[in-house]
C-alpha cells in the first residue's frame, strides 16, 4: 500500500538515524572494552562465537544497509532483478554449504576422527574447533588473507590458520569466490528491495529490514564460521528465502520444514548421546531456539501486526534473549573481582608483563604464567588488558575468590592424532603432569595417542589454551578429540 510523501520522509529519517546509530556503535566498539562485551553479548544471540569481531562486522553491515536504504529510497524497483539476485544468493550459499560439509567429512575420515565428536586442531601455532553442527573447515578463507598481516595484528583471533596446512588451498579459494558472490548478491537484494520498503509504513519497513539484516548476516557468517548444519545457516537461510521469494506459500512451508527438520536432527543427536560430549552443544541448542523465536517474533509483527499471538511470541522471544545477553555480560562480575593486599592472582598471558610486582613463573610455548600479590588493590579487569586475551575470556584467577588453590587437579583425558611418531612421554613440572601413550599407527602415516594431562585450575586459568601449548611442546601439528574433563583429578 502506497503512503504519502510525509510518511516516506519519516521512514527515510529512520534509515538516516539507523545509519548514524550503527556508525556510533562501531566507533564505540573500538574505544570501549565495556561496549565490546555488551555488543558481543547482543550479537551472539543470532551469530554465535567466542570473539567480538563479528559484532563490529554486523554493525558495519547495518550501517552499509541503512545507507543503501536511505540513498535508494526514491528509486524504482525491478521485480525480475530482485528475483535474480535472491536466487543467485541462495544457490551460491547452498553450494558453499555443500563444499564446507564435504570438506568436513573428508577431514574427519583422513584424520581418523569420529564424525560426530568434538575436536580441536592445532597447526602453525593456532587452534580451531570442528564439530558436526558447527565446524570451521572453511574458516581458513579468512586466514588466507590475514597471513599477509604482521603476527598479532588481529590479536588472537581464530581465523582458521590451523587449517592452512591441512585443507587444500583450492577449497579456500572456491569458498572465497562463493562467499563473494553471496555477499554481492545480498547487497543487490538490498538495492532492489529498498524502494519497496520505503512505501511500507515506517514500523513495517523497519521490521522487514531487521529480519532481512539478521537473516542475511547469519547466512554470510555461517559460510565461513559454522557450516551447513549450524543454526545460523538453517534459521538464517530459511528466513532469507522467505523474504526474497515474496513471502510465497511455498517459502513459508520451506521455512517451517527446514526448522522442524533441524529440531528433529538435534533431537536425534541428543538421543544418541552427541550432546553429552561437550556442554557447548547444549548452548548451541538454546541459541538456535532463541534466534528462531526472535526472528519469528519480528517477522510476525511485520506480517500480521500487533496481535495477541504476535505479542505472545515476542514475549516468548524476549525471555531467552534476555538470558543470553545476561550470560554474556555476566563477565562484568568477573572483571570486578578485587585483588586486595595479601591476595594472590594467577595469570596466563600472551604478552610479557614487564610491570613491577608481576612475577613470571613459567613459559609454555607462546604463553607465560604470572603471579601478582599487589600492594594496592586491583581488579581482574585491570589485569586482563595486559595479557593479550579478549575481554570476554578468563585468563586471571584469584585464590579463594574465583578458585580454591587446594582443590584436586583437573584431569583431561583425550585422543590425539599427529603426523609424526614420538616415544611415550611423561612431562611434568610444577603446573602440570602429562602422559602420552602411542595407541596405533594408521596407513596414511598418522599416529594415534592417548593423552592424560593433570593441572591445577587455580594456578592455570584459561586451561584449554594452556593445554594446547603443553601439547605443542611435543607435536607440531595435531588434532584432539573425545575430550573428557574430570574436576576431581580421578
Amino acid at each position: 500500500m502506497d503512503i504519502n510523501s510525509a510518511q516516506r520522509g519519516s521512514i527515510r529519517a529512520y534509515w538516516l538515524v539507523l545509519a548514524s546509530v550503527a556508525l556510533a556503535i562501531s566507533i564505540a566498539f573500538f574505544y570501549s572494552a565495556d561496549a565490546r562485551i555488551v555488543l558481543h553479548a547482543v550479537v551472539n544471540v543470532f551469530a554465535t562465537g567466542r570473539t567480538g569481531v563479528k559484532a563490529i562486522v554486523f554493525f558495519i553491515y547495518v550501517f552499509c544497509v541503512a545507507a543503501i536504504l536511505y540513498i535508494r529510497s526514491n528509486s524504482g524497483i525491478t521485480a525480475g532483478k530482485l528475483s535474480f539476485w535472491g536466487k543467485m544468493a541462495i544457490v551460491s550459499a547452498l553450494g558453499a554449504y555443500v563444499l564446507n560439509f564435504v570438506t568436513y567429512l573428508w577431514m574427519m575420515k583422513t584424520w581418523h576422527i569420529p564424525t560426530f565428536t568434538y575436536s580441536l586442531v592445532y597447526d602453525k601455532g593456532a587452534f580451531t574447533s570442528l564439530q558436526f553442527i558447527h565446524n570451521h573447515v572453511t574458516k581458513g578463507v579468512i586466514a588466507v588473507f590475514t597471513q599477509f598481516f604482521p603476527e598479532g595484528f588481529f590479536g588472537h583471533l581464530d581465523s582458521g590458520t590451523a587449517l592452512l596446512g591441512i585443507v587444500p588451498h583450492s577449497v579456500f579459494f572456491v569458498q572465497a569466490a562463493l562467499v563473494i558472490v553471496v555477499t554481492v548478491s545480498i547487497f543487490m537484494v538490498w538495492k532492489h528491495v529498498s524502494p519497496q520498503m520505503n512505501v511500507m509504513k515506517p514500523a513495517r519497513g523497519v521490521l522487514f529490514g531487521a529480519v532481512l539484516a539478521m537473516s542475511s548476516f547469519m547466512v554470510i557468517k555461517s559460510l565461513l564460521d559454522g557450516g551447513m548444519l549450524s543454526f545460523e545457516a538453517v534459521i538464517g537461510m530459511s528466513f532469507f528465502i522467505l523474504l526474497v521469494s515474496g513471502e510465497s506459500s511455498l517459502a513459508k512451508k520451506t521455512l517451517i520444514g527446514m526448522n522442524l527438520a533441524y529440531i528433529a536432527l538435534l533431537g536425534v543427536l541428543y538421543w544418541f548421546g552427541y550432546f553429552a560430549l561437550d556442554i557447548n552443544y547444549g548452548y548451541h541448542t538454546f541459541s538456535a531456539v532463541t534466534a528462531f523465536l526472535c526472528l519469528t517474533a519480528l517477522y510476525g509483527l511485520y506480517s500480521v501486526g500487533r496481535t495477541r499471538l504476535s505479542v505472545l511470541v515476542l514475549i516468548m522471544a524476549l525471555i531467552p534473549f534476555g538470558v543470553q545477553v545476561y550470560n554474556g555480560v555476566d563477565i562484568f562480575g568477573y572483571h570486578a573481582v578485587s585483588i586486595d593486599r595479601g591476595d594472590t592472582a594467577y595469570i596466563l598471558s600472551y604478552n610479557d608483563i614487564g610491570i613491577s610486582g608481576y612475577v613470571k613463573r613459567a613459559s609454555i610455548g607462546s604463553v607465560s604464567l604470572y603471579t601478582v600479590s599487589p600492594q594496592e588493590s586491583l581488579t581482574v579487569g585491570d589485569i586482563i588488558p595486559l595479557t593479550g586475551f579478549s575481554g570476554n575470556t578468563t585468563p586471571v584467577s584469584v585464590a579463594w575468590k574465583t578458585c580454591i588453590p587446594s582443590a584436586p587437579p583437573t584431569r583431561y583425558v583425550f585422543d590425539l592424532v599427529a603426523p609424526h611418531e614420538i616415544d611415550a612421554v611423561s612431562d611434568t613440572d610444577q603446573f602440570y603432569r602429562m602422559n602420552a601413550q602411542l595407541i596405533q599407527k594408521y596407513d596414511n602415516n598418522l599416529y594415534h595417542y592417548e593423552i592424560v594431562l593433570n593441572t591445577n585450575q587455580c594456578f592455570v586459568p584459561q586451561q584449554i589454551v594452556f593445554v594446547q601449548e603443553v601439547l605443542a611442546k611435543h607435536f607440531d601439528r595435531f588434532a584432539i578429540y573425545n575430550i573428557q574433563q574430570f574436576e576431581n583429578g580421578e
Side-chain angles (χ1 to χ4, degrees):
M1 181 177 67
D2 288 340
I3 59 176
N4 60 42
S5 58
Q7 290 173 309
R8 183 176 293 110
S10 176
I11 198 168
R12 290 190 74 207
Y14 271 108
W15 305 140
L16 183 60
V17 170
L18 179 60
S20 301
V21 170
L23 182 60
I25 289 174
S26 301
I27 294 172
F29 183 91
F30 287 105
Y31 288 98
S32 171
D34 291 347
R36 285 194 290 273
I37 291 173
V38 173
L39 296 174
H40 181 209
V42 172
V43 176
N44 212 49
V45 172
F46 58 90
T48 188
R50 294 180 180 177
T51 67
V53 173
K54 65 183 179 303
I56 182 63
V57 173
F58 174 72
F59 285 104
I60 292 174
Y61 174 61
V62 170
F63 169 77
C64 294
V65 165
I68 290 173
L69 291 171
Y70 179 79
I71 294 169
R72 294 278 300 172
S73 58
N74 290 323
S75 301
I77 180 170
T78 305
K81 289 185 177 180
L82 174 60
S83 176
F84 169 79
W85 289 111
K87 290 177 181 178
M88 177 68 75
I90 292 168
V91 171
S92 300
L94 291 176
Y97 287 138
V98 170
L99 177 60
N100 170 280
F101 191 62
V102 169
T103 305
Y104 170 80
L105 295 177
W106 167 81
M107 186 171 174
M108 294 298 99
K109 179 177 176 60
T110 302
W111 279 71
H112 306 276
I113 300 172
T115 302
F116 296 100
T117 195
Y118 173 83
S119 58
L120 294 168
V121 178
Y122 177 91
D123 190 26
K124 300 182 183 300
F127 244 116
T128 197
S129 61
L130 299 173
Q131 310 168 36
F132 184 66
I133 56 176
H134 188 100
N135 75 72
H136 293 162
V137 292
T138 48
K139 202 173 186 179
V141 169
I142 302 172
V144 169
F145 297 98
T146 59
Q147 67 179 330
F148 296 108
F149 291 84
E151 185 176 353
F153 185 85
F154 295 98
H156 298 280
L157 169 70
D158 175 11
S159 59
T161 303
L163 299 168
L164 287 180
I166 298 173
V167 176
H169 281 206
S170 57
V171 171
F172 297 139
F173 291 129
V174 173
Q175 188 76 358
L178 290 171
V179 171
I180 291 171
V181 172
V182 171
T183 303
V184 171
S185 298
I186 286 174
F187 274 104
M188 293 301 293
V189 165
W190 281 110
K191 175 183 176 181
H192 289 287
V193 81
S194 55
Q196 175 184 321
M197 292 174 63
N198 280 282
V199 296
M200 297 177 184
K201 291 183 178 180
R204 291 193 74 235
V206 170
L207 288 167
F208 180 92
V211 178
L212 183 56
M214 291 171 64
S215 61
S216 58
F217 183 78
M218 291 167 75
V219 170
I220 296 171
K221 185 261 185 187
S222 62
L223 296 178
L224 299 174
D225 180 1
M228 183 170 69
L229 295 179
S230 65
F231 78 83
E232 294 101 329
V234 176
I235 297 172
M237 180 60 80
S238 62
F239 277 93
F240 182 75
I241 290 173
L242 176 66
L243 295 183
V244 301
S245 67
E247 303 167 70
S248 65
S249 176
L250 177 60
K252 291 178 180 178
K253 292 177 181 178
T254 299
L255 181 147
I256 294 172
M258 287 178 64
N259 286 281
L260 286 179
Y262 190 62
I263 292 171
L265 172 65
L266 296 180
V268 170
L269 292 174
Y270 176 82
W271 180 263
F272 285 99
Y274 177 68
F275 286 86
L277 296 172
D278 187 74
I279 193 172
N280 286 332
Y281 297 134
Y283 174 78
H284 182 100
T285 304
F286 186 74
S287 298
V289 172
T290 305
F292 177 74
L293 285 175
C294 288
L295 284 170
T296 300
L298 293 173
Y299 178 77
L301 289 170
Y302 153 74
S303 180
V304 301
R306 192 170 59 183
T307 65
R308 289 182 179 180
L309 179 59
S310 62
V311 172
L312 177 61
V313 174
L314 178 62
I315 294 172
M316 291 173 60
L318 288 175
I319 294 172
F321 176 84
V323 171
Q324 287 269 79
V325 174
Y326 175 79
N327 287 338
V329 301
D330 189 49
I331 196 73
F332 283 126
Y334 168 72
H335 284 205
V337 172
S338 63
I339 309 160
D340 302 316
R341 185 172 182 176
D343 291 340
T344 300
Y346 303 92
I347 306 160
L348 190 69
S349 177
Y350 284 112
N351 300 332
D352 289 328
I353 304 178
I355 299 176
S356 176
Y358 289 81
V359 180
K360 182 184 288 189
R361 299 296 185 184
S363 291
I364 309 293
S366 61
V367 296
S368 298
L369 286 164
Y370 288 84
T371 59
V372 63
S373 298
Q375 296 300 310
E376 298 181 0
S377 181
L378 294 171
T379 65
V380 168
D382 295 327
I383 297 176
I384 290 178
L386 306 176
T387 66
F389 282 90
S390 64
N392 61 338
T393 56
T394 56
V396 181
S397 57
V398 184
W400 306 109
K401 291 186 177 180
T402 67
C403 65
I404 302 174
S406 58
T410 301
R411 186 185 190 203
Y412 293 92
V413 180
F414 48 86
D415 294 275
L416 182 147
V417 178
H420 50 272
E421 183 178 7
I422 64 170
D423 295 328
V425 171
S426 181
D427 183 3
T428 303
D429 76 359
Q430 60 180 320
F431 296 105
Y432 68 90
R433 184 176 72 254
M434 187 192 83
N435 292 288
Q437 183 67 46
L438 179 64
I439 303 299
Q440 70 179 109
K441 176 184 178 182
Y442 296 115
D443 292 338
N444 57 346
N445 292 319
L446 290 174
Y447 298 85
H448 177 197
Y449 299 86
E450 181 185 72
I451 307 292
V452 179
L453 192 149
N454 292 273
T455 184
N456 186 292
Q457 61 178 327
C458 193
F459 299 156
V460 184
Q462 200 70 22
Q463 289 205 349
I464 194 62
V465 174
F466 183 78
V467 168
Q468 76 184 41
E469 297 296 342
V470 171
L471 294 172
K473 291 175 58 180
H474 307 282
F475 303 94
D476 296 328
R477 175 187 296 172
F478 60 85
I480 62 176
Y481 62 95
N482 287 344
I483 304 165
Q484 301 175 74
Q485 181 177 336
F486 305 94
E487 297 296 341
N488 60 5
E490 298 180 359

